[in-house]
Amino acid sequence: MAGRIEGPDAPRIIRVHPADNVAIVVDDLGLPAGTGVAAGITLAERVPQGHKVALTPLAKGDAVRRYDTVIGTAAEAIPAGGYVSEARLVMPEAPALDDLPLATRPSPLGPPIEDTTFEGYRNRDGSVGTRNLLAITTTVQCVSGVVEHAVDRIRRELLPRFPNVDGVVGLDHIYGCGVAIDAPDAPIPIRTLHNISRNPNFGGETMVVSLGCEKLQSERLFGPLLPMGGDGGIGLVTLQDPANVGFEAMIASILRTAERHLERLDRRRRTSCPASALVVGMQCGGSDAFSGITANPALGHASDLLVRAGATVMFSENTEVRDGIAQLTARAATPDIARRIIAELDWYDRYLARGSVDRSANTTPGNKTGGLSNIVEKAMGSIVKSGSAPIAGVVAPGERARGPGLLYAATPASDFVCGTLQMAAGMNLHVFTTGRGTPYGLAAVPVIKVATRSDPARRWHDLIDVDAGIIATGAATIEEVGRQMLALMLEVASGKPTCAEKLRLWNQLALFNPAPIT
Ligand code: CA
């Protein structure tokens, strides 16, 4: 529901669901006390943009509903038109995991969408790249400085000779040694690194730089190495190899190996591929109260269209679905998939408890300034990016996704850790929604950034790809922006650079390592 609409400049509030007893203020500067916002409701005090107004009088202890979900209880009496601030809202307990609906509400999909294509790079393993990149995997952080130097030299000295290669990426990380490599949770970072190296955007041409004495030996990362020279071979450079006499010899060895991979990558060309070859990772960062009514539902609509076109689409962020777990387990395609979702979130509850926190450790000062009072409200806005498709599978952290369909990739909500794990899952396109704004980008996978409000989209005109704020002002519908996002996804998958790519902005990989450091 929109509040009193008397023209484009009228004060505007948005209630998400008819059963909700709060709405949020849309106006950029908030609204002052005395503003009439709906029939019979006048603001009792100033309410900032994105923050909540009570639509009915609330007694202490009354349930506060947004998204038709109890996001907390009133800490004190609040009149109709009162400001439901963070301090006036008591957060509920997380829902129990032992009595959840299992695959009771798998939503029917619309009819299949055919003839949706993009121009991609077909790989021998059946996956499709949206970029044609040389990746250099590292087995241990010790080699990072050398690899960074080599990447710079490759970019300047070799890439100009290979115009069909989009770039070179050093897969830098802080794992590999000084870690408890046989700990029960160590397979998570190890399989993450293994699967990142197989990302479709690297064309099966991954090369590896190792030190030699580290715990994560290259054989442990990849199994017996294929010989160099053959198609799909993994080129290995070991810095401690006696043949490398001095730094320049190391660099020359890396450049020689890179050149052989670049020759093969350079012969590749984009060809028409069905949208079913897309593996889209979705996440949000710097969320605000608009995330759940503009950018995320529009992305959810785009996600439904992608699923109908046969694509694989992942949503993630454990702490941002934990309070909505009953929605997910009900939407699971089978009871077994529902049980896998529960198992992942149960493991994550215990992971957080080991650090003496719970899912409420997620929210940031920016979330709260943006109107999100607690993790329950944040989760309800985050989860809508999953659209309405049945959940067809679960991806454990570091595993490769097996689509098609909508998958729950169980990752932390940290932008960098989530992006890294979705890369390992095989994502070839990333869509990132943001309320407060972030310059986030990845070197290996194009990231389309979507703003929840028009104000940051205007200010960051060269950093934000899509303005979903036009939904809040009524200038466009969720479906219109969702279709616009899908069209942009196909263009970007076909090679159109994103804002972050144009500016060459990218964040480092962040491996999820729940195991001890030694
Ligand atoms: Ca995130």
Side-chain angles (χ1 to χ4, degrees), residues 283-285 317 320 412-415 418 432:
Q283 70 154 323
C284 51
E317 304 177 282
E320 296 177 18
S414 154
D415 299 348
C418 173
F432 191 105

Side-chain angles (χ1 to χ4, degrees), residues 381-403:
S382 179
I383 219 165
V384 295
K385 72 166 86 70
S386 67
S388 62
I391 298 169
V394 176
V395 186
E399 281 184 351
R400 193 154 161 126
R402 288 194 199 89

Side-chain angles (χ1 to χ4, degrees), residues 472-490:
T473 56
T477 65
I478 286 169
E479 291 74 18
E480 282 165 356
V481 176
R483 282 194 297 273
Q484 178 200 344
M485 284 162 75
L486 176 62
L488 180 62
M489 284 187 223
L490 295 168

Side-chain angles (χ1 to χ4, degrees), residues 19 40 209 225 287 392 440 475 502 510:
V209 174
L225 294 180
S287 300
Y440 176 85
K502 282 185 211 159

Side-chain angles (χ1 to χ4, degrees), residues 139-300:
T139 53
V140 65
Q141 192 187 18
C142 311
V143 305
S144 295
V146 173
V147 168
E148 190 186 345
H149 183 97
V151 163
D152 186 51
R153 292 270 301 269
I154 292 167
R155 197 171 283 136
R156 285 187 284 117
E157 296 171 24
L158 298 184
L159 279 188
R161 286 171 36 214
F162 302 102
N164 295 316
V165 180
D166 293 322
V168 53
V169 179
L171 299 175
D172 185 18
H173 59 84
I174 59 167
Y175 197 72
C177 213
V179 292
I181 201 142
D182 294 314
D185 291 330
I188 292 177
I190 295 173
R191 71 187 178 215
T192 302
L193 263 181
H194 174 98
N195 284 328
I196 277 183
S197 308
R198 297 170 61 215
N199 185 279
N201 286 355
F202 304 148
E205 292 292 342
T206 302
M207 61 176 279
V208 185
V209 174
S210 87
L211 181 61
C213 57
E214 65 271 36
K215 284 181 174 166
L216 184 58
Q217 293 283 302
S218 50
E219 294 82 0
R220 182 159 186 168
L221 187 54
F222 287 107
L225 294 180
L226 297 168
M228 259 313 296
D231 275 1
I234 296 174
L236 172 66
V237 175
T238 304
L239 299 190
Q240 289 170 349
D241 186 322
N244 289 327
V245 180
F247 175 71
E248 278 304 325
M250 293 174 188
I251 297 297
S253 176
I254 295 172
L255 262 61
R256 268 198 312 278
T257 305
E259 194 166 2
R260 289 199 289 266
H261 287 285
L262 287 168
E263 281 164 2
R264 287 199 290 263
L265 287 169
D266 196 53
R267 290 198 288 269
R268 310 176 79 218
R269 296 292 182 274
R270 289 186 185 272
T271 57
S272 181
C273 301
S276 57
L278 287 175
V279 182
V280 178
M282 308 187 291
Q283 70 154 323
C284 51
S287 300
D288 67 7
F290 289 90
S291 298
I293 54 178
T294 62
N296 286 346
L299 180 54

Side-chain angles (χ1 to χ4, degrees), residues 371-382:
L372 296 173
S373 296
N374 60 33
I375 185 60
V376 187
E377 185 177 13
K378 182 173 175 178
M380 294 307 132
S382 179

